[in-house]
């Protein structure tokens, strides 16, 4: 029997990736847009709280178990900014290019060694809207902020994120390779291990 | 140098245990009562949300990093109750005995096999009140609800929790032995491993 779960995201790349890895467990992942669920307001102060808010909202409005992802970039020189505000760093509705530009401006004149950063990802799976023990999976990926955007893959800050050891930007990695090592990839690997006990 | 962190709990047993295990890492754990921090209102719908609420509150009022614990008992026949309401199952300010009595009443006439249950524990460590990536450590401990209370150790539902394999109640275990295998013990072991990266 295929179980359906709702994904509290409109990102097609994430939907595809989750369906690939969870399909093997007999799970069909359906985007919340298919149920006309509007985006939840991300009022949390941490990644995990925002992921819970989104998963709860999607589960509440669909009656299905829900999966949500919250992720972002922490830049040490900026005291962890943009962090949970990564997607709206240059303002509500900002494009990836605008966010990247703002980040570069703030780091102008700094050396590569000073521009250490990491991507963070938190995945939350809730069996129902009032699930007292959401499954929480986390990953983080250390890197550096590049002086100029490079590459066309991925999204968000991928063109500015230097992957250590490989000396290319995250946006220059093929998706399959990125999924193996990225912050989200690590969280997804935890999810695959742990979700069977929650289904 | 000893670092101070505040514990968002008034439980003396927990304080002692955390000081024992974190003392070796050069951390002094101080109860929030020492800073006259009142208890936070636990308005969350999950253990992790309540732990975050408590840790944030303690950190906000002291300016120190904060550690909080939220734990409870899930009984399968009761659909997971008392869960996050474990401490207030028989009402606000209920005693352990009153909570235990209510649980026994609800399970009257059921067989031991039907009374499967588990203790859950979530520990949250926040470096500051707006820490976007709180450290989250979790543990769970499977068991069964006994027909009558047994033992004088521990607290909460320990007298009613049959430890599988040992055939005694959790309240009959010596504290050191309980700390090795319990839900909280498991979470604490994760905490010891992971907290150095957060200090």
């Amino acid at each position: 029997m295929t179980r359906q779960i709702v994904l509290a995201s409109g990102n097609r790349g994430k939907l595809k990736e989750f369906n690939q890895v969870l399909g093997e467990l007999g799970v069909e992942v359906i985007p919340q847009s298919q149920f006309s669920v509007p985006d939840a307001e991300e009022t949390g102060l941490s990644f995990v709280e925002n992921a819970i808010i989104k998963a709860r909202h999607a589960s509440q409005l669909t009656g299905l178990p829900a999966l949500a992802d919250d992720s972002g970039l922490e830049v040490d020189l900026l005291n962890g900014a943009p962090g949970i505000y990564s997607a709206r760093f240059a303002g509500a509705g900002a494009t990836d290019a605008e966010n990247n530009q703002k980040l570069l401006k703030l780091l102008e004149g700094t050396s590569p060694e000073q521009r250490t950063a990491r991507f963070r990802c938190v995945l939350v799976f809730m069996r129902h809207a009032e699930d007292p023990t959401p499954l929480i999976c986390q990953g983080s990926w250390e890197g550096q902020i590049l002086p100029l955007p490079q590459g066309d893959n991925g999204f968000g800050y991928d063109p500015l994120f230097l992957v250590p050891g490989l000396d290319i930007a995250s946006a220059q990695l093929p998706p399959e390779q990125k999924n193996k090592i990225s912050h989200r990839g690590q969280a997804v690997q935890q999810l695959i291990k742990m979700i069977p006990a929650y289904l």
Side-chain angles (χ1 to χ4, degrees), chain A:
Chain A
M1 197 189 78
T2 304
R3 290 158 196 262
Q4 298 190 321
I5 70 176
V6 59
L7 180 65
S9 164
N11 185 299
R12 296 176 68 88
K14 291 183 196 174
L15 178 70
K16 196 177 152 196
E17 191 190 341
F18 285 125
N19 262 315
Q20 276 169 354
V21 299
L22 295 178
E24 296 174 25
L25 301 171
V27 171
E28 182 191 3
V29 183
I30 303 167
Q32 64 180 14
S33 58
Q34 210 160 302
F35 301 94
S36 307
V37 174
D39 285 344
E41 212 189 330
E42 300 183 29
T43 53
L45 292 174
S46 59
F47 294 109
V48 67
E49 286 167 291
N50 279 333
I52 289 174
I53 286 169
K54 289 188 273 189
R56 179 173 290 138
H57 181 252
S59 183
Q60 228 153 20
L61 295 185
T62 61
L64 289 175
L67 179 64
D69 157 292
D70 202 54
S71 44
L73 178 72
E74 276 182 11
V75 179
D76 293 321
L77 257 186
L78 305 178
N79 255 320
I84 57 168
Y85 306 105
S86 291
R88 35 184 162 147
F89 193 34
T95 63
D96 287 348
E98 288 164 348
N99 288 329
N100 282 342
Q101 224 165 354
K102 176 167 179 185
L103 179 59
L104 285 181
K105 195 141 202 184
L106 288 169
L107 295 178
E108 249 173 28
T110 58
S111 71
E113 295 73 35
Q114 288 180 295
R115 292 199 298 270
T116 51
R118 70 203 53 76
F119 276 128
R120 299 269 194 184
C121 174
V122 176
L123 296 179
V124 163
F125 176 70
M126 299 181 79
R127 291 162 292 184
H128 53 85
E130 303 203 351
D131 190 340
T133 52
L135 172 58
I136 300 165
C137 302
Q138 304 175 75
S140 85
W141 195 22
E142 299 285 331
Q144 257 173 33
I145 303 305
L146 289 161
L148 284 171
Q150 296 178 18
D152 301 308
N153 295 329
F155 60 97
Y157 297 90
D158 280 331
L160 289 182
F161 189 77
L162 177 73
V163 182
L166 296 178
D167 278 333
I168 56 172
S170 166
Q172 293 173 292
L173 284 175
E176 310 72 41
Q177 199 180 345
K178 182 187 164 198
N179 289 346
K180 273 188 196 145
I181 57 174
S182 74
H183 53 311
R184 186 167 298 103
Q186 296 169 36
V188 167
Q189 281 152 38
Q190 275 181 27
L191 184 76
I192 298 168
K193 256 194 232 161
M194 298 181 72
I195 206 172
Y198 285 74
L199 292 173

